[in-house]
Amino acid sequence: MKVTEHIKKHQGKTQFSFEIIPPKKGNHIQDLYDNIDPLMEFNPPFIDVTTSREEHVYIDKGNGLLDRKITRMRPGTVGICAAIKHKYNVDTIPHVLCGGFTKEETEYLLVDCHYLGIENVMALRGDAMSHQKYFEASKGGHQYATELVGQIQNLNQGKYLHDVIEANHNTDFCIGVAGYPEKHIEAPSLQTDLRRLKEKVDAGADYVVTQMFFDNQKYFEFVKAAKEIGIDVPILPGIKPLAIQRHLQLLPQVFKIDLPEPLITEVEKCKTNAAVRQVGVEWAIQQSKELMQAGVPVLHYYSMGKSSNIKAIAKAVF
Ligand code: FAD
């Protein structure tokens, strides 16, 4: 079922969903199942599976030298989506990236998703590789998520890249895109970034999932501003519980988000990461309860592959 249909079906009742990361290659999928199992009692209508682009890895040659290779360390998003869908009978959403993929490769991936009965995809640009200052599109790939949304919409109308319209073989993907309540790191202003979001919606995006935020006011203002410029699709809040002391520096640095003073104060009082984890869970519970009261259709949690803190939050909220 499409995300938009899940939302319509459960109108007035906030649903629980979460995002997982594929295991590093060489690891068993059982690790993933062990983290999904405890969350299934909260009946997620859908589970997102992230995609990682290629990265540099350094292989010790044993003679004091390192070999540098470019590889994707966490492949298998579509396979994992199919496996989870089959095992738990739940909708799964593969994240589809511009970065590291040509349009042809994207088309093949979307065709696979269609064959597997996957009805939703999350269309994202992805980030620059670690050695790049700015994002660079792959040769034959897309520069912005808007273009990727356009490609998926074309496929929904049966328009394949080889310029033949296969009207009987069109896909029917529901498309999610990313939104940034505190603006995307590269955007010159929140207003400009919102206009870019509107372009993604105009290109055919059906819903938005937000970047993590720790101050609900930021989300409420974002949704209001989005509505004011005509973005009328559901905007699902993304919630991440803070888990380690280092997150105080790391999250603002990586995602350009602000952490509220009371949260910083509580984390600074903690003597162990276990205590930080508890503070993170309690903060996320308060955030979730307020968002639920405000009537958000879905609370979407960034699990980062670990379920224990997400379970503690879900238990208190759902
Ligand atoms: P875009 O919408 O393309 O925007 C990127 C930047 O370009 C923004 O600053 C925007 O304002 C600007 N822009 C857009 N269009 C134009 C234009 N026409 N001209 C000039 N500027 C423009 N990353 C992963 O690698 N894998 C994942 O699985 C993943 N999942 C995510 C899930 C969510 C919910 C979120 C919020 C992020 C996720 N990301 C993921 C991170 C995402 O890839 C990065 O934040 C990336 O830097 C931007 O992606 P985007 O789709 O928002 O890009």
Side-chain angles (χ1 to χ4, degrees), residues 15-282:
Q15 297 170 85
F16 164 81
S17 84
F18 61 96
E19 174 183 298
I20 55 163
I21 302 173
K24 275 197 171 161
K25 55 187 174 190
N27 290 303
H28 202 278
I29 195 168
Q30 187 59 43
D31 298 346
L32 207 53
Y33 294 152
D34 291 344
N35 278 291
I36 294 174
D37 286 344
L39 300 179
M40 292 314 289
E41 67 175 280
F42 305 104
N43 296 318
F46 54 86
I47 298 172
D48 276 58
V49 183
T50 63
T51 292
S52 306
R53 64 174 303 173
E54 75 282 22
E55 58 188 284
H56 283 123
V57 292
Y58 295 89
I59 296 137
D60 192 345
K61 289 178 74 182
N63 54 1
L65 296 173
L66 293 173
D67 227 5
R68 192 172 77 164
K69 281 205 161 32
I70 292 184
T71 184
R72 287 179 64 210
M73 288 304 288
R74 295 176 186 271
T77 298
V78 172
I80 289 169
C81 280
I84 295 173
K85 185 173 160 61
H86 178 70
K87 182 172 165 65
Y88 298 100
N89 193 22
V90 64
D91 281 306
T92 47
I93 308 181
H95 289 193
V96 182
L97 295 185
C98 304
F101 294 86
T102 64
K103 292 175 200 168
E104 282 289 331
E105 286 165 338
T106 297
E107 186 171 277
Y108 303 151
L109 183 144
L110 292 167
V111 167
D112 281 346
C113 289
H114 183 52
Y115 288 149
L116 289 163
I118 290 168
E119 295 178 69
N120 304 278
V121 290
M122 184 80 187
L124 299 145
R125 188 197 69 179
D127 287 315
M129 287 182 74
S130 54
H131 68 283
Q132 294 170 330
K133 202 157 173 33
Y134 303 104
F135 176 85
E136 284 174 25
S138 305
K139 198 162 175 277
H142 297 295
Q143 179 68 34
Y144 295 111
T146 319
E147 298 164 13
L148 177 56
V149 172
Q151 181 179 3
I152 302 166
Q153 270 302 344
N154 276 343
L155 223 58
N156 279 351
Q157 287 154 35
K159 287 185 206 153
Y160 289 76
L161 289 174
H162 59 294
D163 272 346
V164 172
I165 298 183
E166 305 278 5
N168 293 329
H169 299 286
N170 61 303
T171 58
D172 189 19
F173 291 114
C174 173
I175 307 168
V177 291
Y180 302 83
E182 296 176 65
K183 94 171 181 67
H184 182 256
I185 185 168
E186 296 160 28
S189 73
L190 184 55
Q191 205 52 36
T192 309
D193 204 28
L194 266 169
R195 275 198 283 111
R196 298 302 183 194
L197 179 61
K198 171 92 167 38
E199 284 168 11
K200 290 195 273 194
V201 173
D202 290 345
D206 298 291
Y207 69 100
V208 177
V209 182
T210 75
Q211 182 58 278
M212 66 185 76
F213 56 89
F214 291 86
D215 175 355
N216 285 349
Q217 209 45 44
K218 300 254 165 77
Y219 169 81
F220 295 135
E221 285 163 13
F222 178 68
V223 172
K224 184 166 173 281
K227 282 207 175 111
E228 278 167 6
I229 63 160
I231 296 174
D232 56 2
V233 299
I235 301 180
L236 316 183
I239 307 287
K240 178 182 159 47
L242 210 110
I244 52 171
Q245 195 98 31
R246 279 269 293 136
H247 276 158
L248 283 190
Q249 290 80 39
L250 210 62
L251 300 179
Q253 189 190 336
V254 175
F255 301 109
K256 282 282 176 292
I257 51 169
D258 270 352
L259 298 178
E261 280 309 316
L263 175 59
I264 299 170
T265 308
E266 284 311 305
V267 172
E268 281 178 346
K269 280 189 213 157
C270 294
K271 302 251 179 316
T272 62
N273 271 335
V276 176
R277 219 173 151 74
Q278 190 51 33
V279 168
V281 165
E282 281 163 18

